[in-house]
Amino acid sequence: MNLTLKEILNLPDLNNFETGQVPNALAILFETGRQSEDVKIIRQGLKFAEDQSLENFSNDEKMVFHYNVANGWSYFQRLTEELNSDQFWRFSHKELDQQIINLRLALSYSHKSQNRIKKCEILTNLGNVFSHLGRFSEAQLYWKKVLSVDSSFPMAFGNIGFGLFHYAKTIYDSGHQFLFFQFAHKYLLKTIDTDIYDEAKSAFQNTINLIESFIEKEELKNIQDLKHFSLGESKGEIQYRKWCLKNHLFLNPLNDITTENIAGHDCLLLPTMTLNFDKTPFYQTIFNQIKQEFVSARHLLFEGLNQKETHYSDKDNLQLDTLDFAVYSYSSEKTKIAFRMCYSILDKIGYLLNDYLDLGFQPEKVSFRSIWIVYDKKSKTSKMNPKISQTQNWPLRGLYWLSRDFFEKDESFSSTIEPEAKELAKIRNFIEHKSFKIIEFGENGLFDKNLTYAINREEFEKKTLNLIKLVRASMIYLAMGINLEERKKEINKPVVPIDFIGLRDEYKR
């Protein structure tokens, strides 16, 4: 279909185009709008995308379609917002919503695609938008996935380095921060001599220059031995810790840059905090509890996934074979417990933030999703909690956007950017209150007149692993977000330092 740009813009929609032509037409519109800085062209392209039927599209065509639509929203955002303005620091953006939704949809259609370059571009852009939002820990995992698809993809190296540099600025452990700068410098150097677009190359080179302005080049190159650290004494403990490292599950920012032994322990704590004399170490107490629940849930999941032999507690537990391939075992219950504990931990994070930021919610009404939104009586609408948005706190913004991956029935909080959020909420509800079964074979969904929710064991284990990764990230954002808030405090009164010692392992019985 040979049409001029003007003729395309005057069309009512693109539904008469061949399926393979639609993504290309959108790409032309969005790139033309970006280069000419014409928002009207981009807006028209987004309208075409909204009205487009994808019924006859192949998965590859859907992948490219959603990737291009995400680009359209990205260009629209760049042309309509001012950097570091109040609008820029708004926690909630329709443009960012749409970028994440479309990139995730593109990724979902890419799994069987042979187009490796497009897969890399999708994952790279997901990492970019996650980093922009403040979900910098998860961004690193997206960029690392790019390298698992194409180990030489230059933009992945550059973005990893660029992301690590900004991640480092939130870290309050000087040793960890130094290692982050070393890795950032190493990854950025891998990109500079490659064929990437000029704007990115300039940004990466400027970051290299900045790092080298406060750390000597020789120091940056001299990265310590990361392997020479113990992972335990028993075979079982070593196996467990290697699994945690591989899945980036240690409460340790270093596990975002390496899976070597140095990251194999849970060292994350809240930063040094300034409290009134009459204030007990309340936040440290809650964080201790959160950490212990996470570590316990993580080990339960490890056992649920890896120890499939019959447990002695399951022996002589007479049950009926109802011919539905259902799994009833101690091992599967461990996975279910881990799933439930994840939600409990998230609500405790909301509970801690409610008090720390003085958000004013009644403690019994706090949940991880509820603290971000308040009801405006004047406009009779729900809006972003100004006590949070006014912080302009990058990790707290990341925590807010992570909360958007979860679903609540209340319409005020039901907007979500995670396509599977409703299913996760349904699973949680059926596990907690209704009939839920894990099956070895068969399809997922509601059965028995919608009384039972059934899910394939492999699928449930995958969802639980992804969920516990979200919880880990949320704990990192919480600690780093509090660190940035503590830096803002002006100390006008005498301060008495109180040093806490680590609780000895032999007391943990």
Side-chain angles (χ1 to χ4, degrees):
M1 188 175 290
N2 296 318
L3 297 173
T4 66
L5 176 65
K6 185 176 180 181
E7 288 172 332
I8 293 175
L9 290 171
N10 288 327
L11 292 172
D13 56 53
L14 303 181
N15 284 301
N16 288 328
F17 279 51
E18 293 181 11
T19 56
Q21 293 177 321
V22 174
N24 294 333
L26 289 175
I28 292 170
L29 290 175
F30 294 142
E31 289 299 326
T32 302
R34 180 184 67 83
Q35 293 180 20
S36 62
E37 298 187 354
D38 191 332
V39 176
K40 290 182 181 179
I41 295 177
I42 295 176
R43 187 180 284 117
Q44 183 61 38
L46 293 173
K47 184 180 183 303
F48 284 151
E50 185 179 348
D51 296 336
Q52 182 65 43
S53 169
L54 303 182
E55 184 178 356
N56 297 317
F57 279 47
S58 68
N59 281 350
D60 262 43
E61 289 166 344
K62 290 177 183 177
M63 173 186 72
V64 178
F65 173 86
H66 286 293
Y67 170 76
N68 289 342
V69 173
N71 283 343
W73 281 107
S74 174
Y75 301 157
F76 183 82
Q77 180 189 349
R78 289 184 210 172
L79 293 175
T80 56
E81 76 173 9
E82 183 182 345
L83 285 178
N84 293 319
S85 63
D86 289 340
Q87 180 190 14
F88 175 84
W89 269 106
R90 277 188 318 178
F91 272 47
S92 186
H93 272 282
K94 177 182 178 181
E95 292 86 351
L96 292 171
D97 277 359
Q98 291 300 320
Q99 287 174 61
I100 295 175
I101 289 170
N102 280 285
L103 285 170
R104 279 176 160 169
L105 287 169
L107 185 62
S108 71
Y109 290 118
S110 75
H111 293 317
K112 295 183 180 180
S113 175
Q114 300 302 309
N115 190 339
R116 293 169 64 237
I117 297 298
K118 191 59 65 182
K119 282 185 182 181
C120 289
E121 291 174 339
I122 292 166
L123 288 165
T124 297
N125 286 2
L126 266 169
N128 293 346
V129 72
F130 266 55
S131 182
H132 175 73
L133 294 173
R135 297 178 70 170
F136 43 83
S137 172
E138 298 155 278
Q140 288 295 321
L141 300 184
Y142 278 118
W143 292 322
K144 297 282 176 60
K145 285 180 182 177
V146 176
L147 297 179
S148 70
V149 177
D150 182 348
S151 60
S152 63
F153 196 75
M155 284 300 295
F157 288 116
N159 283 312
I160 288 172
F162 192 73
L164 289 177
F165 171 75
H166 290 283
Y167 189 161
K169 292 191 288 185
T170 72
I171 293 175
Y172 42 89
D173 182 298
S174 58
H176 284 192
Q177 188 179 63
F178 179 72
L179 198 55
F180 264 69
F181 285 134
Q182 286 182 310
F183 269 80
H185 187 261
K186 182 179 100 172
Y187 278 107
L188 286 165
L189 286 177
K190 290 183 177 182
T191 311
I192 292 304
D193 295 328
T194 61
D195 185 22
I196 58 174
Y197 62 96
D198 292 341
E199 185 181 353
K201 183 173 289 190
S202 176
F204 295 154
Q205 183 62 61
N206 289 340
T207 307
I208 290 172
N209 296 341
L210 186 55
I211 296 172
E212 291 177 352
S213 71
F214 57 85
I215 303 177
E216 295 290 336
K217 288 184 181 180
E218 286 305 311
E219 287 187 77
L220 288 167
K221 293 178 183 177
N222 188 24
I223 297 177
Q224 65 175 296
D225 181 4
L226 307 179
K227 298 180 181 179
H228 192 63
F229 295 85
S230 173
L231 292 181
E233 298 177 1
S234 69
K235 182 179 178 181
E237 182 181 359
I238 294 171
Q239 181 187 7
Y240 166 63
R241 292 186 178 276
K242 284 184 176 179
W243 176 83
C244 293
L245 283 168
K246 177 185 176 183
N247 287 285
H248 301 274
L249 283 176
F250 274 109
L251 293 173
N252 185 340
L254 294 181
N255 203 189
D256 285 331
I257 62 175
T258 183
T259 56
E260 299 290 1
N261 293 13
I262 191 174
H265 61 292
D266 299 297
C267 59
L268 183 71
L269 295 170
L270 292 184
T272 300
M273 301 176 70
T274 304
L275 304 174
N276 293 333
F277 282 111
D278 60 347
K279 198 90 169 181
T280 62
F282 169 68
Y283 306 119
Q284 286 80 359
T285 296
I286 299 178
F287 200 74
N288 278 348
Q289 180 185 353
I290 290 172
K291 275 194 73 174
Q292 185 58 55
E293 289 185 8
F294 175 85
V295 169
S296 298
R298 184 181 65 195
H299 191 263
L300 284 168
L301 179 58
F302 168 75
E303 291 188 330
L305 298 186
N306 296 286
Q307 298 180 8
K308 299 293 175 64
E309 67 275 6
T310 301
H311 192 266
Y312 62 78
S313 68
D314 287 327
K315 294 179 180 178
D316 298 322
N317 173 22
L318 183 62
Q319 293 175 328
L320 298 178
D321 185 352
T322 52
L323 306 178
D324 54 4
F325 302 107
V327 178
Y328 298 105
S329 67
Y330 185 45
S331 176
S332 64
E333 288 302 314
K334 287 179 180 179
T335 307
K336 287 165 64 177
I337 292 169
F339 185 97
R340 294 160 67 182
M341 289 179 72
C342 286
Y343 280 91
S344 174
I345 293 169
L346 290 170
D347 285 341
K348 289 180 177 68
I349 289 173
Y351 182 76
L352 189 158
L353 276 178
N354 179 54
D355 192 86
Y356 178 73
L357 295 175
D358 193 24
L359 302 181
F361 290 96
Q362 294 296 320
E364 63 273 11
K365 294 184 179 180
V366 169
S367 73
F368 183 57
R369 280 283 276 154
S370 68
I371 61 171
W372 312 99
I373 304 296
V374 293
Y375 183 73
D376 187 346
K377 293 181 180 178
K378 290 184 178 180
S379 64
K380 296 183 179 180
T381 58
S382 296
K383 64 177 185 179
M384 186 69 200
N385 193 328
K387 287 188 176 181
I388 298 175
S389 58
Q390 288 169 8
T391 64
Q392 296 193 356
N393 185 308
W394 188 43
L396 289 186
R397 183 163 76 167
L399 198 55
Y400 161 70
W401 280 92
L402 189 148
S403 79
R404 296 281 305 281
D405 277 359
F406 296 91
F407 175 82
E408 290 202 7
K409 292 181 180 178
D410 189 323
E411 291 184 3
S412 301
F413 317 126
S414 62
S415 176
T416 178
I417 54 171
E418 169 53 63
E420 294 186 351
K422 287 187 178 181
E423 185 182 6
L424 285 176
K426 184 180 290 185
I427 290 171
R428 181 192 185 191
N429 183 264
F430 272 83
I431 288 178
E432 295 279 10
H433 309 293
K434 300 176 183 177
S435 173
F436 177 85
K437 64 183 177 183
I438 300 171
I439 53 177
E440 290 287 5
F441 307 100
E443 296 191 8
N444 302 341
L446 291 170
F447 297 91
D448 307 329
K449 298 181 180 179
N450 293 338
L451 293 174
T452 300
Y453 189 93
I455 187 169
N456 179 273
R457 183 171 192 164
E458 183 179 353
E459 182 70 17
F460 181 62
E461 291 174 347
K462 178 182 175 183
K463 289 183 185 299
T464 307
L465 181 59
N466 289 338
L467 180 59
I468 205 165
K469 288 181 179 181
L470 281 178
V471 173
R472 173 192 178 265
S474 71
M475 294 173 69
I476 290 176
Y477 304 146
L478 172 69
M480 303 309 169
I482 288 177
N483 179 47
L484 296 190
E485 289 304 296
E486 289 296 313
R487 290 183 191 175
K488 299 175 185 177
K489 290 183 177 179
E490 295 183 6
I491 310 300
N492 299 316
K493 298 178 181 179
V495 176
V496 178
I498 300 177
D499 293 323
F500 296 100
I501 61 173
L503 187 64
R504 291 164 59 177
D505 288 346
E506 54 264 35
Y507 295 157
K508 299 172 184 176
R509 298 178 181 177

